[in-house]
Amino acid sequence: MTAAAAAPPMKINVAKVAFTSLAASSIEWYDFFIYGTAAALVFPKLFFAASLPPAVAQLAAFSTFAVGFIARPVGGVIFGHFGDLVGRKKALVTALLMMGLATTAVGLLPSYAMAGIMAPLLLIALRFVQGLAVGGQWGGAMLLAFENAPPKQRGFYGSFAQMGVPAGVVLANLIFIVIDKQVAPENFLIWGWRIPFLLSIVLVALGLYVQLKLEDTAEYQALQALEARQQEAAAKALAAEQGVSLDQAKAQLRAAKGSPILKVIAKHPKEILLAAGAFVAANGTFYLMINYALAYATDPHHGPHVARPVILWAVVLGALISAPFLPLMASLSDKVGRRSVFMSGAVLMGLWSLVFFKLIETGAFPMMLLAIGVGSIFNNFMYGPQAALMAELFDTEFRYSGASLGYQIGAIFGGGFAPIIATALFTKYATSMAVSGYMAALCVISLISVFLLAETHSKAHRDAMGVS
């Protein structure tokens, strides 16, 4: 019997849960993305020695950006273990509080001129905390919607956590556009850049709302109830067999239960690795479009050297144009399957990558918007079904651990090193086609990974209805 079959009837406002998932994900990703924007525009000048060549300082800034990605699978392991053992809601609340406090603290950091080497070290430490938090947040926000959704709409509702990404992109870039317009350039470098980070204290309030107003997912509560009954029966049998008290028998069973993360690694190593491979294209091409392209477009030496607000607006509008395709593709995957939608996106994104930088290099706003807008649409062919695809690979008892681990490992090899690798490739080959080739290679990896995975959405329908 599955956990779903054992579940008592529960009245759940799925729309409320889904929009809370969206809000949590949006603000959390806003926090994560403002760091990337600042790493492209501000951090090279503020947190590293003025004697460094600009290209080296930019690489150093993107390296601190990558630290967050290195921390993400660690966060996925910690919060996955926590979320599978004690609940999705508690893990999500903890992640939201960590992210809100860490991002706010970045806005209070001293510059290199004020604190020397301590400035970049503190920046790296807080970026690591951000990475831990986002590594835990995704699984909690996604499962909050996914595990409460109707069986045949899990792709659609799971995508609400995914929609936090374009929402976070829009919020992060809009705030920098507004500040850039309202604050003089010299003041922007001194204090203006800090405002987006200080606003992140809002995430703490949202975390408290989730803690006070929402219950854990129906599917997780059903699993807990089923396990409690099974443990009670097993403890009684063990107590009778060993001649110990019921409490002692329960303590023995809890000690023998083991870690969800170790269980999922032992049972599903192939699925974890293929899930990671599936994610590298969506994640890597995304950060190349919103972070590396930002630095490249404003580069006075090698790029088209457009004004900062021009490329920021291209990113914002591109995210807005492409955003409806995310739930649309997720909903389509509920009908035709996750793999076909995802693989179509990998192919289209791989082809588009070959013209992406040529459009950016025109320096013309319509062409840059076309590059980012169409690229983001193709990216959402992959990112829309992503939550359901990964969640359906794993059983409820270790779903948080398995999905988070696959997702965050993919994030390291996808987005984490993408801006660094792109910068190094352009430095070596002096052509954006080298970066385009790298984008296309990421798409090939994801295409092969998803091809090797079994289709999951039909199985998920049966499981959610209690059919073994």
Side-chain angles (χ1 to χ4, degrees):
M1 178 181 290
T2 66
M10 296 182 67
K11 187 176 181 180
I12 296 168
N13 187 334
V14 181
K16 177 183 176 182
V17 170
F19 280 105
T20 302
S21 172
L22 171 60
S25 182
S26 298
I27 303 175
E28 181 106 0
W29 284 114
Y30 160 84
D31 284 12
F32 202 70
F33 293 150
I34 57 174
Y35 190 102
T37 303
L41 301 178
V42 178
F43 290 169
K45 303 178 184 73
L46 286 182
F47 287 99
F48 300 95
S51 58
L52 287 178
V56 176
Q58 186 67 74
L59 274 172
F62 278 148
S63 295
T64 69
F65 177 71
V67 167
F69 289 85
I70 295 170
R72 281 171 63 168
V74 180
V77 168
I78 294 171
F79 283 93
H81 174 86
F82 186 46
D84 282 328
L85 284 183
V86 302
R88 290 32 171 144
K89 187 183 81 168
K90 290 180 181 178
L92 176 59
V93 168
T94 304
L96 294 178
L97 295 178
M98 278 180 63
M99 177 63 93
L101 294 173
T103 308
T104 302
V106 172
L108 300 172
L109 285 179
S111 67
Y112 189 91
M114 296 169 63
I117 192 64
M118 282 304 297
L121 291 179
L122 289 171
L123 183 68
I124 289 168
L126 290 172
R127 181 59 175 174
F128 191 84
V129 175
Q130 276 194 324
L132 290 177
V134 84
Q137 170 272 335
W138 178 80
M142 179 270 289
L143 292 178
L144 197 68
F146 175 88
E147 290 186 344
N148 279 318
K152 294 186 178 181
Q153 292 181 286
R154 287 190 150 184
F156 174 70
Y157 280 105
S159 73
F160 274 72
Q162 308 292 85
M163 283 189 277
V165 171
V169 169
V170 171
L171 289 172
N173 286 281
L174 273 181
I175 192 69
F176 272 101
I177 289 171
V178 171
I179 293 170
D180 187 76
K181 187 173 182 179
Q182 299 297 323
V183 177
E186 61 273 16
N187 290 329
F188 181 82
L189 281 174
I190 296 170
W191 58 265
W193 70 270
R194 299 178 184 275
I195 296 173
F197 291 88
L198 297 177
L199 290 175
S200 299
I201 198 68
V202 173
L203 199 57
V204 175
L206 181 62
L208 295 176
Y209 171 83
V210 174
Q211 175 64 27
L212 295 172
K213 297 295 184 180
L214 293 183
E215 294 295 323
D216 220 319
T217 71
E219 190 168 333
Y220 182 78
Q221 290 186 62
L223 175 66
Q224 291 293 92
L226 179 62
E227 288 184 345
R229 292 194 296 272
Q230 292 174 338
Q231 186 180 51
E232 185 74 20
K236 287 179 180 178
L238 184 63
E241 179 184 334
Q242 296 187 357
V244 297
S245 70
L246 187 60
D247 286 342
Q248 289 174 318
K250 288 181 178 179
Q252 288 184 42
L253 290 173
R254 283 195 298 270
K257 186 175 181 180
S259 165
I261 196 73
L262 295 179
K263 286 183 180 179
V264 75
I265 290 172
K267 190 172 181 179
H268 295 290
K270 173 187 172 184
E271 285 79 5
I272 291 171
L273 291 175
L274 289 177
F279 189 43
V280 295
N283 198 242
T285 59
F286 173 79
Y287 283 103
L288 289 169
M289 288 189 292
I290 72 160
N291 284 129
Y292 176 74
L294 184 61
Y296 181 67
T298 56
D299 187 340
H301 305 293
H302 305 293
H305 193 202
V306 301
R308 184 165 55 204
V310 174
I311 186 65
L312 286 173
W313 271 116
V315 171
V316 168
L317 294 177
L320 287 172
I321 290 167
S322 64
F325 286 85
L326 200 157
L328 181 63
M329 291 302 108
S331 183
L332 181 62
S333 78
D334 283 327
K335 298 176 176 63
V336 304
R338 317 297 182 206
R339 293 170 73 247
S340 57
V341 177
F342 200 111
M343 291 168 68
S344 297
V347 172
L348 292 169
M349 188 69 238
L351 294 173
W352 189 250
S353 67
L354 301 179
V355 301
F356 177 82
F357 284 102
K358 295 303 177 185
L359 294 171
I360 295 292
E361 286 165 358
T362 66
F365 179 78
M367 293 297 100
M368 292 191 294
L369 176 58
L370 178 67
I372 295 171
V374 174
S376 298
I377 289 171
F378 293 156
N379 187 281
N380 284 343
F381 275 60
M382 296 181 280
Y383 201 60
Q386 184 87 47
L389 175 72
M390 290 193 170
E392 289 164 358
L393 291 172
F394 308 102
D395 297 333
T396 309
E397 64 175 309
F398 41 61
R399 179 176 291 145
Y400 202 135
S401 296
S404 293
L405 194 56
Y407 186 96
Q408 304 306 346
I409 291 173
I412 286 185
F413 294 102
F417 296 112
I420 298 173
I421 292 171
T423 302
L425 285 170
F426 188 87
T427 301
K428 181 175 176 61
Y429 296 105
T431 173
S432 62
M433 286 305 296
V435 184
S436 293
Y438 169 54
M439 292 175 73
L442 291 175
C443 293
V444 171
I445 292 171
S446 288
L447 179 66
I448 294 172
S449 297
V450 176
F451 177 78
L452 294 174
L453 282 170
E455 182 57 68
T456 58
H457 85 298
S458 296
K459 174 184 180 295
H461 295 171
R462 295 195 302 272
D463 289 349
M465 292 183 287
V467 181
S468 300

